Amino acid sequence: MILVEGCEDWMKNMRTEGETERGGVRAIALLSGGLDSTLAAAIVKRAGIDVIGLTVRFFVNADPEREAKIASGASALGIPLRTIDLSQEQLEVIKHPHHGYGTAVNPCVDCRILMLNGARRVMEEEGAQFVITGEVLGQRPMSQHRRAMDVAAVESGLGDRLLRPLSANLLPDALPVKEGWITRANLFSISGRSRQEQMALAKELGIADYPQSAGGCILTDKVYGARLRDAFAHVGREAMGIDEFMILRHGRQFRISKRAKVFIGRDEKENAALAEYMSGRHGIEPLSVPGPLALVEGDPSEEELMLAARLVARYCDHQDGVPVELAVTRDRMTRKIEVLPLPSDDPRLPAWRIEPRR
Ligand code: SF4
């Protein structure tokens, strides 16, 4: 586990054991960048407990803007913030989820367990007694129903050291309640997907400028899911590292044969993103007309490479029936070729597109 200090005030705010506000009781609050986790931390802090914010960085949602928002939310709450990077651990969880996937390739139950496990380790390092999350019973279909929440508490090793302040009064007493560190009167019975109660609570706690929920997780995206399943089948789960996951975010993607997959940039930004992944792949770029950067992944035969080039030419500024000149690069060796663009009504195109199954 890599530890990254996310707040300059961190050292200033650290207290040694016994120096906490409430008789040495200290909690770790998982902060996601949304309102619920902010509220959960504020509720526990209001009860006089020393709270340390914790954010988990995953490669799928690594985003400096999101982390800056979380840092500013923690600062507004007056709590220090730590960041842990669990990207490598999440990679394994995505490849082999014990509790399966949600609607796409989102292993939310395993992912929650991973986050809670990371929070437990930080809890132990900090001499804290429990962990807080902003989970709300019934809010998310895969990970926030009662059984999944119970499983996450047990499998993370937290057990009753996990407090969900927003739904705590609908759940069995967690350790902080049993020990009297916080009473049920300070906790809530929120459930379901409505945000009304959270908005009212934010007002009551004086949280006006709370962070907006972070953008959706790419693993819940069905197009990304189709691409990842194709990569599992053709690249192989074990051969896939973070780059093989990240490239799937970019460009149009076509599986033209078992041995060859084509990525084609849709705009300048995607061309630049794909250029980062040239190593180990064929690059194809137009020379005679404007057009996208494309990559061919796998071990294409010469015939498949020419087919890929014709597909790329189709997305260039071309005239029907006029050949397009392209540069094909592999391992820094470039050759020029001329191909006729594939016609836009080529019947193979729909089958090549990597899309969610209908
Ligand atoms: S939405 Fe994504 S980051 Fe969140 S728990 Fe599910 S898989 Fe993990």
Side-chain angles (χ1 to χ4, degrees):
M1 180 171 63
I2 302 163
L3 292 182
V4 184
E5 305 307 344
C7 173
E8 286 184 3
D9 290 337
W10 168 244
M11 293 304 291
K12 276 191 275 171
N13 285 316
M14 261 185 76
R15 295 190 179 95
T16 55
E17 207 166 355
E19 288 182 313
T20 57
E21 288 178 34
R22 197 181 177 102
V25 180
R26 180 179 290 163
I28 304 299
L30 266 171
L31 298 177
S32 67
L35 175 60
D36 293 351
S37 60
T38 308
L39 287 174
I43 291 164
V44 173
K45 185 166 188 281
R46 183 169 70 166
I49 290 167
D50 200 9
V51 175
I52 296 170
L54 175 67
T55 182
V56 176
R57 183 183 298 150
F58 288 137
F59 72 96
V60 290
N61 64 6
D63 174 5
E65 214 175 294
R66 171 183 170 272
E67 290 188 11
K69 277 185 192 161
I70 295 175
S72 109
S75 165
L77 284 174
I79 62 173
L81 179 69
R82 286 185 62 174
T83 301
I84 53 173
D85 191 321
L86 299 179
S87 296
Q88 283 300 335
E89 291 89 337
Q90 193 199 34
L91 193 66
E92 292 311 310
V93 158
I94 301 168
K95 290 179 186 176
H96 304 290
H98 292 300
H99 298 282
Y101 298 113
T103 50
V105 283
N106 47 312
C108 291
V109 176
D110 294 271
C111 194
R112 294 295 305 169
I113 293 168
L114 182 62
M115 283 187 241
L116 292 170
N117 196 279
R120 180 182 56 74
R121 285 181 277 167
V122 172
M123 177 188 84
E124 288 166 2
E125 283 169 19
E126 295 295 338
Q129 286 74 26
F130 65 102
V131 166
I132 314 158
T133 70
E135 289 166 291
V136 170
L137 195 60
Q139 189 178 75
R140 288 173 199 261
M142 187 177 186
S143 60
Q144 293 185 20
H145 59 82
R146 180 63 195 276
R147 202 183 143 272
M149 288 167 79
D150 288 349
V151 165
V154 172
E155 293 193 17
S156 63
L158 280 168
D160 68 355
R161 288 184 183 271
L162 176 56
L163 179 71
R164 285 110 165 185
L166 297 174
S167 293
N169 290 343
L170 300 170
L171 299 166
D173 282 345
L175 187 73
V177 179
K178 291 180 196 162
E179 293 289 336
W181 300 329
I182 190 164
T183 66
R184 277 188 173 266
N186 293 120
L187 300 169
F188 294 83
S189 310
I190 302 174
S191 67
R193 308 187 77 150
S194 164
R195 313 287 297 153
Q196 298 299 324
E197 288 176 86
Q198 286 96 315
M199 307 290 259
L201 187 55
K203 208 168 167 191
E204 184 191 324
L205 289 167
I207 300 173
D209 189 21
Y210 48 82
Q212 294 304 306
S213 196
C217 166
I218 189 79
L219 299 172
T220 63
D221 181 280
K222 290 191 176 165
V223 173
Y224 184 86
R227 293 172 172 187
L228 186 60
R229 287 179 198 281
D230 172 83
F232 280 165
H234 294 92
V235 179
R237 277 176 209 251
E238 300 315 325
M240 289 184 67
I242 288 179
D243 275 2
E244 283 68 35
F245 278 79
M246 295 304 277
I247 190 177
L248 299 177
R249 303 168 74 115
H250 306 296
R252 296 180 172 90
Q253 296 179 24
F254 301 88
R255 165 70 49 201
I256 62 168
S257 79
K258 283 185 181 166
R259 297 162 18 143
K261 174 178 175 181
V262 186
F263 297 77
I264 303 179
R266 282 174 290 208
D267 53 34
E268 286 300 320
K269 207 170 152 200
E270 284 197 340
N271 291 346
L274 286 174
E276 300 290 315
Y277 299 96
M278 288 276 283
S279 173
R281 298 178 176 90
H282 289 85
I284 302 180
E285 277 182 285
L287 296 173
S288 55
V289 290
L293 172 69
L295 300 181
V296 184
E297 182 177 86
D299 183 23
S301 63
E302 182 63 14
E303 195 186 330
E304 287 163 343
L305 200 53
M306 290 307 116
L307 189 58
R310 293 190 65 203
L311 178 60
V312 177
R314 176 199 179 286
Y315 289 98
C316 295
D317 268 352
H318 68 281
Q319 288 181 323
D320 286 343
V322 177
V324 171
E325 190 182 24
L326 300 159
V328 179
T329 305
R330 177 77 198 235
D331 299 333
R332 301 192 183 180
M333 301 282 289
T334 300
R335 63 182 162 134
K336 287 182 190 173
I337 59 168
E338 263 194 11
V339 293
L340 272 178
L342 275 186
S344 54
D345 60 355
D346 189 298
R348 294 168 292 182
L349 280 169
W352 286 346
R353 275 203 184 88
I354 304 174
E355 288 177 329
R357 280 178 238 128
R358 292 178 203 284

